[in-house]
């Protein structure tokens, strides 16, 4: 089969590799959908002389794509039937740790510190979903409910699942007003979920197209920061001077992080999911004298991923509305070129 790899310098290559066969504890998935994500873009953009986002664990560039969904087509000899069976519709929880530590046993394999040099991350340091087939350990598959499309599964396997987990971690309720900073794939999913949880949603982004998308997904208010005004001030005005109960920061920008803290009300909660960088916090006035809770949230567990899928199915949400582009694998070059240029929103390969 041929899979998409990122050699660097904004190039796409198709690598010819043997069709995978399962080891005793593995499954092979016939891929149906494989999402495109911001971390893929980091690997795509990196200069040729710069190492990949994660060093490969397989002695060659790994096939990209860490948001896989498809149908199990082969099962290893030692895989219990309860774990996986041929014909099962699945997503992949795209990490593999030691399987023995407390994190791994509770479905948080990405938090494992027992494997050297690092956890396996499919599509980053081992083969991922941008290919017709994907081999993964059977304990990484998460059932995709029948009513959900494969592209919905691919979304839940990364950004959409991340958004859901963050809202659950903040115990978002119908009584809450939430400000969601950044309306990229994670922020838009959070807007859609927060609305489905009956919270009042204030969406913030600098891009008018994304704000329009946020309104369509149910944001009560969606606005761009004005050049001279403070976003936190604007949010205080929208909430009768109180601030929001919860704020979620998805962009990773220092200014947005600071605004997300200051826009929350006394006893409020702020959650960061945007990766990288730093933020400066004036601790007394912004945090402790307002009894603030600030937390980080990184993706989700296997059971959290299943819970997100069940929520999407129960509420009849169309998380596929997130995608602006659908591609076939042979158009990967064009797909990543447009993604790199910031044209449109999230893309997905359908196979
Ligand atoms: Zn992703
Ligand atoms: Zn572990």
């Amino acid at each position: 089969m041929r899979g998409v790899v990122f050699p660097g310098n904004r190039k796409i290559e198709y690598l010819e590799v043997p069709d995978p066969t399962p080891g005793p504890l593995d499954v092979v998935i016939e891929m149906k959908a494989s999402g495109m994500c911001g971390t893929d873009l980091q690997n795509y953009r990196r200069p040729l002389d710069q190492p990949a986002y994660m060093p490969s664990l397989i002695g060659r560039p790994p096939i990209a794509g860490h948001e896989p969904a498809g149908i199990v087509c082969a099962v290893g000899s030692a895989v219990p039937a309860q774990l996986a069976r041929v014909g099962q519709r699945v997503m992949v929880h795209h990490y593999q740790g030691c399987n023995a530590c407390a994190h791994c046993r509770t479905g948080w394999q990405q938090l494992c510190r027992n494997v050297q040099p690092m956890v396996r991350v499919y599509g980053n340091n081992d083969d991922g979903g941008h290919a017709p087939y994907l081999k993964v350990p059977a304990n990484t598959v998460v059932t995709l409910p029948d009513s959900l499309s494969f592209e919905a599964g691919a979304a839940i396997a990364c950004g959409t699942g991340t958004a859901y987990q963050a809202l659950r971690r903040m115990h978002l309720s119908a009584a809450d007003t939430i400000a969601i900073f950044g309306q990229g794939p994670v922020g838009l999913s959070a807007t859609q979920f927060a609305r489905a949880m009956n919270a009042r949603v204030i969406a913030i982004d600098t891009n008018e197209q994304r704000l329009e998308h946020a309104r369509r997904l149910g944001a009560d208010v969606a606005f761009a920061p004005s050049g001279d005004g403070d976003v936190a001030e604007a949010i205080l005005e929208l909430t009768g001077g109180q601030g929001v109960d919860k704020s979620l920061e998805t962009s990773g920008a220092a200014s947005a992080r600071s605004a997300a803290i200051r826009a929350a009300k006394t006893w409020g909660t702020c959650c960061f999911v945007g990766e990288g960088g730093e933020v400066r916090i004036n601790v007394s006035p912004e945090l402790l004298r307002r009894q603030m809770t600030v937390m980080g949230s990184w993706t989700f567990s296997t059971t959290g991923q299943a819970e997100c899928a069940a929520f999407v199915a129960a509420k009849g949400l169309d998380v596929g509305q997130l995608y602006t582009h659908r591609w076939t694998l042979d158009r990967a070059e064009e797909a990543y070129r447009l993604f790199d240029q910031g044209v449109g929103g999230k893309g997905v390969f359908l196979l």
Side-chain angles (χ1 to χ4, degrees):
M1 66 174 190
R2 284 186 343 144
V4 172
V5 301
F6 301 129
N9 227 357
R10 294 181 156 87
K11 293 214 162 30
I12 293 287
E13 271 174 19
Y14 290 93
L15 192 67
E16 185 74 41
V17 296
D19 287 359
T21 51
L25 288 169
D26 298 329
V27 296
V28 174
I29 298 166
E30 185 188 337
M31 292 301 305
K32 294 294 178 187
S34 183
M36 299 163 68
C37 184
T39 48
D40 296 321
L41 213 48
Q42 281 183 40
N43 275 332
Y44 171 80
R45 286 173 174 164
R46 76 177 194 280
L48 284 173
D49 56 357
Q50 226 179 68
Y53 177 64
M54 286 181 154
S56 174
L57 297 175
I58 53 174
R60 60 161 170 79
I63 292 167
H66 61 267
E67 306 180 353
I71 299 172
V72 174
C73 63
V75 176
S77 55
V79 174
Q82 298 91 327
L83 207 53
R85 55 180 170 70
V86 170
Q88 187 180 359
R89 302 170 83 251
V90 294
M91 306 171 276
V92 174
H93 186 255
H94 59 266
Y95 311 96
Q96 184 75 170
C98 74
N99 283 308
C101 73
H103 300 306
C104 286
R105 283 172 169 233
T106 51
W108 288 96
Q109 302 238 358
Q110 65 268 47
L111 303 180
C112 180
R113 295 289 176 271
N114 281 355
V115 283
Q116 296 303 327
M118 61 177 66
V119 167
R120 233 161 249 278
V121 185
Y122 302 101
N124 274 301
N125 58 21
D126 198 349
D127 285 339
H130 286 6
Y133 298 99
L134 170 63
K135 180 183 81 168
V136 290
N139 68 355
T140 64
V141 299
V142 177
T143 300
L144 181 66
D146 284 339
S147 64
L148 300 193
S149 64
F150 290 106
E151 66 180 30
I156 292 165
C158 190
T160 296
T162 294
Y164 179 81
Q165 171 65 24
L167 298 182
R168 294 288 286 156
R169 207 147 132 52
M170 285 195 287
H171 302 291
L172 187 73
S173 85
D176 290 332
T177 297
I178 182 170
I180 301 172
F181 289 76
Q183 294 294 315
V186 177
L188 284 172
S189 291
T191 292
Q192 188 176 29
F193 284 146
R195 183 66 201 177
M197 294 171 187
N198 295 316
R200 180 185 176 217
V201 181
I202 299 172
I204 302 106
D205 200 286
T206 52
N207 180 308
E208 188 47 48
Q209 259 180 321
R210 285 178 164 192
L211 290 172
E212 198 41 58
H213 205 155
R215 288 181 196 108
R216 282 201 302 277
L217 289 175
D220 296 276
V221 183
F223 73 96
S226 69
D228 48 353
D230 182 68
V231 183
E233 285 295 327
I235 291 170
L236 288 177
E237 241 168 75
L238 286 167
T239 51
Q242 293 296 303
V244 289
D245 303 277
K246 312 275 160 72
S247 60
L248 176 67
E249 207 299 300
T250 71
S251 76
S255 59
R257 282 176 176 159
S258 170
I261 291 171
R262 289 179 291 111
K265 69 178 182 189
T266 300
W267 295 106
T269 301
C270 174
C271 180
F272 292 161
V273 296
E275 293 266 7
E278 295 180 351
V279 62
R280 204 179 178 86
I281 300 167
N282 195 346
V283 172
S284 283
E286 291 176 9
L287 288 191
L288 64 88
R289 292 187 186 181
R290 298 199 303 118
Q291 310 289 7
M292 275 286 297
T293 302
V294 178
M295 59 172 67
S297 187
W298 183 35
T299 59
F300 41 80
S301 65
T302 46
T303 51
Q305 187 171 349
E307 186 192 310
C308 176
F311 180 82
V312 172
K315 295 282 181 181
L317 299 177
D318 178 10
V319 296
Q321 286 179 70
L322 200 63
Y323 296 111
T324 55
H325 290 78
R326 291 168 178 81
W327 304 95
T328 49
L329 267 189
D330 56 359
R331 294 178 70 195
E333 203 167 326
E334 188 185 352
Y336 274 98
R337 182 157 30 82
L338 290 187
F339 188 24
D340 182 30
Q341 291 164 359
V343 178
K346 192 172 173 68
V348 61
F349 293 102
L350 299 178
L351 294 98

